[in-house]
Amino acid sequence: GKISRGRTPKRTGLCTRKTQELVCHSVNECIILQYLPKVSPIGNMRLQSQLCFFACILLPCLTEVTEFKNCKEFFIRVPNINNQGEQYKQICQFYNNAVRFATLYDTKRRIPVYSAYVFEDVSCQEPRPTPTWMIEPQLVDEKLQKNMMTAGQLKNPAVMQSQAVIEDYENSGFDKGHLVPVCHRSSKDSKISTFTLTNAVPQNPSFNRGKWRVQETELKAYIMKNCQKDQNNKPLAKLITGAIPGNNWVKVDRVNIPSRMWSAFTCVVNNTNVVFANIADNNQTSNLKEISLTDLKNELKKHYNIDIFPFP
């Protein structure tokens, strides 16, 4: 991935809306989002007929996208996380010289805060790969290449200080839980790119392989069926999956074990921008719960003193 730095953004510009699509025309314009707060693709998969009259949210505009500037296409709103020291790193995740998704990484807890991505058409049914898990070279040294690498390719003792390594998960009792799931990627390279430890957290095996995987599959089906398609008949949806830190660690303060997992997505359904979010405890008895964006943002504020959320 590529980590970029820059100047403090300034507020300027006007908000505009394009028919059937909410877009950021340039970094000098605002992003608007109008949404239904209670639309669930999980379970009954029905849209509520009563529209929440949630007029457009006007967001601060940026004259320059300082971080994530090489991968802002994955965001509805690029969060302002400048001047926050060394703990949080913004990564444009590169694999095979192409940017695949974006990750906000917590270098102290050695887990991602979230990964943001654009849904890919998965109708091609590319088989699930089994690659060697990779690491992020630019967390070690920003002068290194931007493509993710294996530990064998990057033999540097500084790796363990900046991020999780495969040894952290060995005999830990936890899965390496993907934030960007393999089943939402289409090509072989895109699927392989999800196998980086900066896109993984220690996840309870029963939860990861059970209800969490089910919701990933159901969400994929909902997007493929309902979300607006582009000119090539591919669904248009942006997603973000994150982890809330907990009080326990893997291997004595090496990698934080998240207490909860959450996800959110947005797309256009029947000419209306829809947003859905859910949250669940990271344990074997957990049940997924639908949550409003307001409640989700309030939950995240309890754990982070920075503006991290890329949805309005």
Side-chain angles (χ1 to χ4, degrees):
K2 184 171 182 179
I3 304 169
S4 55
R5 298 186 179 186
R7 299 189 300 272
T8 302
K10 299 177 181 179
R11 299 185 181 185
T12 186
L14 298 173
C15 288
T16 59
R17 184 169 189 251
K18 183 179 179 181
T19 303
Q20 297 185 356
E21 185 179 6
L22 298 171
V23 297
C24 183
H25 297 281
S26 74
V27 295
N28 289 324
E29 294 177 321
C30 292
I31 307 167
I32 306 174
L33 181 63
Q34 186 179 31
Y35 67 94
L36 288 168
K38 289 184 179 295
V39 180
S40 174
I42 310 303
N44 294 329
M45 294 187 179
R46 66 184 182 84
L47 294 175
Q48 292 190 354
S49 60
Q50 189 173 26
L51 180 67
C52 174
F53 196 71
F54 187 86
C56 293
I57 297 176
L58 183 62
L59 299 173
C61 301
L62 305 179
T63 57
E64 179 181 13
V65 180
T66 56
E67 306 284 352
F68 288 134
K69 67 181 181 181
N70 294 315
C71 52
K72 56 183 180 290
E73 64 269 26
F74 301 118
F75 297 92
I76 295 296
R77 164 188 177 265
V78 178
N80 179 13
I81 317 177
N82 299 315
N83 304 318
Q84 294 299 326
E86 296 299 314
Q87 181 171 359
Y88 301 105
K89 296 292 187 180
Q90 301 175 45
I91 307 171
C92 293
Q93 299 276 16
F94 276 81
Y95 176 75
N96 200 12
N97 297 317
V99 62
R100 307 294 176 169
F101 56 95
T103 298
L104 179 62
Y105 193 76
D106 185 339
T107 60
K108 289 186 178 180
R109 297 184 178 99
R110 299 186 181 90
I111 57 172
V113 177
Y114 60 68
S115 287
Y117 61 104
V118 173
F119 183 84
E120 295 180 357
D121 181 12
V122 294
S123 57
C124 65
Q125 297 297 313
E126 178 73 32
R128 181 186 176 96
T130 56
T132 300
W133 279 84
M134 293 173 283
I135 54 178
E136 177 51 57
Q138 290 197 68
L139 288 178
V140 179
D141 187 340
E142 293 182 18
K143 297 179 182 179
L144 293 174
Q145 69 172 47
K146 61 185 179 181
N147 287 304
M148 53 188 73
M149 303 169 67
T150 66
Q153 294 170 323
L154 181 60
K155 296 180 179 180
N156 188 318
V159 170
M160 289 190 66
Q161 297 303 315
S162 62
Q163 59 198 285
V165 295
I166 197 66
E167 289 80 7
D168 291 321
Y169 285 88
E170 292 178 351
N171 302 314
S172 70
F174 290 90
D175 282 356
K176 298 179 286 294
H178 287 72
L179 297 192
V180 177
V182 179
C183 69
H184 290 185
R185 309 283 83 193
S186 59
S187 69
K188 181 179 179 180
D189 276 1
S190 187
K191 289 178 182 291
I192 290 174
S193 72
T194 67
F195 287 84
T196 171
L197 291 172
T198 52
N199 181 51
V201 298
Q203 199 167 4
N204 177 277
S206 296
F207 176 51
N208 181 41
R209 304 171 197 179
K211 293 178 180 178
W212 189 254
R213 180 171 293 180
V214 169
Q215 72 91 22
E216 291 175 341
T217 302
E218 290 182 346
L219 181 56
K220 175 179 68 175
Y222 177 87
I223 291 172
M224 294 291 292
K225 179 180 179 180
N226 297 286
C227 292
Q228 179 178 300
K229 308 295 195 299
D230 64 13
Q231 62 270 22
N232 297 316
N233 202 36
K234 294 182 179 181
L236 299 170
K238 292 186 177 183
L239 305 93
I240 177 172
T241 303
I244 295 176
N247 297 320
N248 298 313
W249 297 70
V250 169
K251 302 287 180 73
V252 188
D253 294 341
R254 272 295 304 165
V255 181
N256 185 267
I257 301 170
S259 60
R260 310 182 84 183
M261 305 287 293
W262 58 270
S263 67
F265 88 95
T266 181
C267 76
V268 175
V269 177
N270 296 329
N271 300 329
T272 301
N273 231 53
V274 172
V275 169
F276 170 79
N278 62 23
I279 194 168
D281 294 334
N282 183 23
N283 61 51
Q284 62 184 11
T285 61
S286 181
N287 290 308
L288 288 156
K289 175 184 176 183
E290 184 178 343
I291 187 172
S292 70
L293 285 192
T294 298
D295 289 343
L296 177 56
K297 287 188 280 189
N298 288 338
E299 179 67 23
L300 295 176
K301 286 179 182 178
K302 297 177 184 178
H303 303 277
Y304 303 100
N305 295 319
I306 57 175
D307 174 24
I308 68 164
F309 202 62
F311 281 18

